[in-house]
Amino acid sequence: MLRSDAKIIFRSLVAPALCVCILFASATQSQAGNISQTITKFDSGVQQAIPAVKAFYLRVNDFQQDIYFDSLLFDTKMEMGLTKDKKDTALLNKFSDEEINSRILALSLVSNYSKALLQLADPSKAKTAETDLRSIGNRIADISRKLGLLASATPVVGAYATAATELAGLAGKYWIHFKQEAALRNTINEGGPRIATLLTLLEKDTSVFREGVYKNDAQTDLKKFIDYYNKHFVQQSADGSELMSNGRLEFLRQAQASAQRYKTVVGLNPTDALAKMRKVNQDLMDWSASSKKQPFDANQLTDDVDSYLEDVDTFTNALSAIESASTKK
């Protein structure tokens, strides 16, 4: 199921319009006005959220390994092995490096887009915008190269690697001299819809991982501890001789770790943060298309940015909690 969803995601991502991030910002003072502060906050949230979402994917194999060893604890007929039915088990890695790295690279494109907006929106960055945006273009090209290498070994990312290659090839084509606000509006007009598609697909993907890989497995694992304890430890000794036995105490320690794992996973929700990120992206597209005849509601954008930052904080705090619980084991 997860691998099938990944195919849909990476076949559907269309990145070429991101190349407008490489628009050259002239040294002329920007007329973007208050939008600069809003984009600064938006980028701050993106740069906080993206590493956390990356960690959400990077942590998944360690999490599945914990679940795997608990499964061995409860099933004496289950054989330990690196593979089962020609598929990798969670003993080492349930998800391949290619599967994880492809998602990491996709998230890196969002991060680079946000950095480009910041360069174009901040008047103080006008003098360095050309150099900085060229660096962003180089990073996009590097992402394309890495995806190409992944595609050679993993066909599931082939279509996505092709799109990234086209993006890198088109980057130099869009070095157009604009005033900062014009460059910013054009970048959002061209890149915003593609980022919206990318974020929508990542929302779906993180939801699948959250429910199917994290939450459900953590809940099932905890239920095994509860059922086993109630069946084998409750009222097993009338004189209480089992009360402080080493076996019972060790079991309780592991059951507590399972309960803490489930508790933290319930709050581990990058999907909402990505949805709010997509909403702010839509607001920015509305701003870029606004005119004197159709003015933009700046208050709505401000409210959406603040709400988005709150969700980013909630998610990053939950991730820190699950990482902390893992190191205490």
Side-chain angles (χ1 to χ4, degrees):
M1 173 65 177
L2 290 171
R3 292 175 184 265
S4 175
D5 283 343
K7 285 186 178 182
I8 295 172
I9 288 167
F10 290 117
R11 186 164 54 242
S12 301
L13 293 177
V14 182
L18 284 171
C19 58
V20 293
C21 294
I22 315 304
L23 289 172
F24 171 68
S26 71
T28 305
Q29 185 175 6
S30 171
Q31 301 297 317
N34 292 335
I35 199 69
S36 175
Q37 294 181 355
T38 301
I39 289 179
T40 297
K41 291 174 68 175
F42 173 64
D43 177 68
S44 176
V46 170
Q47 302 315 323
Q48 178 186 349
I50 293 301
V53 181
K54 288 180 179 180
F56 170 84
Y57 284 118
L58 291 170
R59 177 71 181 84
V60 70
N61 278 324
D62 291 339
F63 178 86
Q64 283 293 305
Q65 186 183 65
D66 292 343
I67 299 295
Y68 182 79
F69 278 100
D70 281 352
S71 296
L72 290 171
L73 177 67
F74 289 106
D75 188 353
T76 57
K77 295 181 180 180
M78 179 179 172
E79 294 183 353
M80 182 187 296
L82 295 173
T83 60
K84 183 179 180 180
D85 299 329
K86 298 181 180 181
K87 295 182 179 180
D88 291 339
T89 71
L91 181 62
L92 296 180
N93 291 314
K94 180 173 182 177
F95 298 96
S96 69
D97 289 342
E98 291 79 10
E99 287 179 291
I100 299 302
N101 289 340
S102 297
R103 291 169 168 89
I104 300 305
L105 292 172
L107 288 162
S108 293
L109 286 179
V110 178
S111 175
N112 281 309
Y113 173 80
S114 179
K115 289 177 181 178
L117 293 189
L118 183 63
Q119 288 294 329
L120 293 169
D122 188 347
S124 68
K125 298 180 182 296
K127 292 182 179 180
T128 61
E130 180 178 2
T131 300
D132 293 338
L133 288 169
R134 193 182 297 276
S135 295
I136 292 173
N138 290 337
R139 288 196 292 272
I140 290 174
D142 187 52
I143 291 172
S144 171
R145 179 186 63 80
K146 290 176 180 177
L147 279 168
L149 293 175
L150 288 177
S152 64
T154 310
V156 71
V157 302
Y160 186 46
T162 300
T165 300
E166 293 171 350
L167 167 62
L170 289 170
K173 230 167 150 184
Y174 288 86
W175 289 93
I176 304 171
H177 292 263
F178 284 125
K179 291 182 179 180
Q180 266 190 302
E181 182 171 354
L184 177 62
R185 286 181 181 272
N186 286 334
T187 298
I188 294 173
N189 281 334
E190 295 292 331
R194 302 304 181 185
I195 289 295
T197 299
L198 177 59
L199 291 174
T200 298
L201 292 167
L202 285 169
E203 283 175 52
K204 178 181 178 181
D205 193 48
T206 54
S207 179
V208 170
F209 267 74
R210 179 188 182 237
E211 295 295 327
V213 181
Y214 279 103
K215 187 176 177 181
N216 288 349
D217 285 357
Q219 186 175 36
T220 299
D221 185 71
L222 178 58
K223 186 176 185 302
K224 289 179 181 178
F225 276 98
I226 293 172
D227 290 345
Y228 189 92
Y229 184 87
N230 290 339
K231 182 177 180 181
H232 295 280
F233 286 102
V234 175
Q235 298 178 347
Q236 292 300 302
S237 176
D239 60 5
S241 60
E242 293 292 325
L243 185 62
M244 300 301 290
S245 68
N246 289 336
R248 179 175 178 273
L249 293 177
E250 174 60 19
F251 186 87
L252 284 173
R253 186 190 70 80
Q254 294 188 53
Q256 182 182 27
S258 178
Q260 183 62 32
R261 184 187 304 132
Y262 175 70
K263 179 181 177 181
T264 53
V265 162
V266 169
L268 192 65
N269 184 12
T271 308
D272 284 351
L274 289 168
K276 294 289 182 65
M277 191 185 298
R278 179 172 54 82
K279 179 62 172 69
V280 175
N281 180 66
Q282 180 60 54
D283 289 343
L284 291 173
M285 286 192 289
D286 292 343
W287 169 81
S288 68
S290 65
S291 63
K292 291 182 178 179
K293 292 182 178 180
Q294 294 181 320
F296 175 71
D297 183 1
N299 291 330
Q300 181 64 55
L301 175 56
T302 300
D303 290 345
D304 286 342
V305 168
D306 289 342
S307 177
Y308 154 64
L309 292 175
E310 289 174 1
D311 272 33
V312 170
D313 283 339
T314 299
F315 169 59
T316 53
N317 289 338
L319 184 66
S320 296
I322 195 171
E323 289 177 338
S324 176
S326 178
T327 59
K328 292 178 181 178
K329 288 189 63 181

